[in-house]
Amino acid sequence: MRMRFAMPSWLAKVIARMSTQITIDLPDGAFSALRQDKREFVSELRLAAAAKWYEVGKLSQAKAAELAGLSRADFISALARFGVSPFQVNPGELAREVGAS
């Protein structure tokens, strides 16, 4: 016996807001140049964007990790692959921190 579940409309709306799908047109050679299949390429693209936006201060570590589809700890570990420090302190902030101690 199969039971059917009718999803309440409010739940459908919540789920729809949880993620957004975008389409990017890329040349076919992009995947082979990086020696990755499409799924690996998408994961790497998400991570690269998240790392860069974290580096320039557009995203917090938590939001960047979410964008990359990683835990925060895994995102911090992955930053090294891109030469990005997990510590994002500008010289003014550092001077204030040093002066406060």
Side-chain angles (χ1 to χ4, degrees):
M1 175 183 205
R2 223 178 230 181
M3 296 183 70
R4 295 183 72 88
F5 172 74
M7 186 181 303
S9 61
W10 66 268
L11 182 56
K13 289 177 185 175
V14 169
I15 291 171
R17 279 189 253 136
M18 291 173 69
S19 70
T20 301
Q21 184 174 358
I22 62 171
T23 303
I24 302 173
D25 292 323
L26 297 169
D28 290 335
F31 309 108
S32 63
L34 293 173
R35 293 181 175 80
Q36 296 176 325
D37 65 26
K38 291 178 184 180
R39 184 182 212 118
E40 292 169 325
F41 184 86
V42 169
S43 292
E44 187 71 9
L45 186 62
R46 287 176 61 175
L47 176 56
K52 186 60 181 179
W53 289 333
Y54 170 69
E55 180 182 31
V56 299
K58 288 188 175 255
L59 292 178
S60 67
Q61 252 180 25
K63 285 297 181 185
E66 183 181 339
L67 175 65
L70 299 173
S71 69
R72 192 166 172 189
D74 288 341
F75 177 71
I76 290 169
S77 296
L79 287 174
R81 290 182 30 217
F82 297 94
V84 175
S85 172
F87 307 106
Q88 299 295 313
V89 180
N90 67 41
E93 290 172 329
L94 185 59
R96 284 192 294 277
E97 289 289 325
V98 170
S101 18

